[in-house]
Amino acid sequence: MTKKAFHTTNAPQPAGPYSQAVEANGFVYTAGFGPQDAANGNAVAENVGDQTRQVLRNVQSALAERGLTLNDCVKTTVHLADLADFAEFNEAYKEFFAEPFPVRTTVGSQLANILVEIDAVAAIPEGK
């Protein structure tokens, strides 16, 4: 197996020894991104809907380094600080994906001063 890491300045920088995205065996796997703005490192919003939008823009930026979009996603994992925010999160989430939607796992998690974190798996189309 070969793997290749991708890096963009358009998404938050890793806070530890991990890559923003890695390609392996026909897929790109992203790190879990929070709602930080890459320009200043701050979370951009207080509510889960706007944080979700920023998180997905961060995921988009990581995938774009490999020439992929959210339409290439086959799986996402979502961590919510409060599962009571699910409806608001879900409304924002569906703004970014078209059918057929990727499969998704959503769990409640202890998060460090953010409301949502998302990672994604994208399939690389043939010829890309």
Side-chain angles (χ1 to χ4, degrees):
M1 174 186 78
T2 60
K3 63 181 181 179
K4 179 180 179 182
F6 294 90
H7 176 82
T8 179
T9 58
N10 296 322
Q13 301 309 298
Y18 61 89
S19 299
Q20 290 174 319
V22 169
E23 177 181 343
N25 297 329
F27 293 91
V28 171
Y29 303 84
T30 74
F33 284 100
Q36 291 77 17
D37 183 316
N40 61 26
N42 297 324
V44 298
E46 297 292 322
N47 65 69
V48 73
D50 288 338
Q51 283 197 16
T52 298
R53 291 176 187 93
Q54 181 61 46
V55 169
L56 290 171
R57 286 191 293 270
N58 291 338
V59 172
Q60 281 177 317
S61 293
L63 293 174
E65 285 299 305
R66 179 53 179 84
L68 302 177
T69 71
L70 290 176
N71 289 331
D72 298 306
C73 286
V74 294
K75 168 82 168 96
T76 62
T77 303
V78 177
H79 298 266
L80 292 176
D82 187 346
L83 289 172
D85 289 335
F86 182 82
E88 183 181 351
F89 147 77
N90 201 48
E91 285 300 310
Y93 180 93
K94 74 180 183 180
E95 294 171 14
F96 287 80
F97 293 97
E99 292 189 34
F101 299 114
V103 297
R104 179 176 78 191
T105 301
T106 305
V107 297
S109 297
Q110 286 186 303
L111 299 173
N113 300 317
I114 60 173
L115 301 176
V116 61
E117 180 177 331
I118 301 172
D119 66 79
V121 178
I124 300 168
E126 279 190 47
K128 251 191 170 176

